[in-house]
Amino acid sequence: MTPNEIRELTAAVHTIVRLIPRGRATNYGAIARAIGRPGHARLVGRIMGGGAPSGLPAHRVVDSQGRLSGRGAFGAPGRMRELLESEGVAVRENRIVNWRGVFWDPIEELS
DNA sequence: CTCTTGACGCAAT
DNA sequence: CATTGCGCCAAGA
């Protein structure tokens, strides 16, 4: 992967993240598939870990089980949870309640 | 250059 | 539901 490709992917990932509706959330693997790189969830995770543009709803990206695996990247502990709950997403024990219903698949939006 | 570390995912146990 | 193993891959040590 050339540095240039990395930039493209980063841009693509950010684009998808911006499409996530309020009150919904998606996961790394789904985003990876949406940008044409199935199986590279980990790469997406790395990208999210890096600096994110302000205004990017990064809190709407969790792991495949609805767990807030990126909570550490938000300033104060519990910050990610606050952001989610502030838009109506219930969280219990670091995990989105009713994940199946909250999950938003980028693929369905690329129609 | 090798080894380890992660905002991961999925099937098998 | 909890663990394990394996595939994936860019950064940092």
Side-chain angles (χ1 to χ4, degrees):
Chain A
M1 300 245 2
T2 71
N4 208 332
E5 293 179 287
I6 298 297
R7 282 197 299 281
E8 287 176 15
L9 288 176
T10 301
V13 169
H14 289 171
T15 297
I16 298 295
V17 175
R18 272 186 265 266
L19 292 178
I20 306 173
R22 242 181 98 81
R24 305 293 298 289
T26 190
N27 63 56
Y28 309 91
I31 292 176
R33 288 192 292 277
I35 61 176
R37 258 188 166 79
H40 293 224
R42 204 151 199 169
L43 178 54
V44 174
R46 266 196 45 61
I47 291 175
M48 292 305 289
S54 84
L56 191 76
H59 57 285
R60 297 179 190 153
V61 183
V62 297
D63 77 6
S64 72
Q65 305 308 303
R67 284 179 302 240
L68 317 195
S69 51
R71 58 189 177 301
F74 294 74
R79 177 58 181 161
M80 187 175 184
R81 173 177 180 166
E82 289 176 14
L83 290 169
L84 285 169
E85 300 196 310
S86 73
E87 45 186 68
V89 177
V91 176
R92 188 179 42 181
E93 297 300 306
N94 255 338
R95 173 140 178 207
I96 291 178
V97 178
N98 183 210
W99 173 228
R100 306 192 65 176
V102 176
F103 175 63
W104 175 82
D105 191 345
I107 298 298
E108 296 177 17
E109 204 63 16
L110 300 179
S111 53

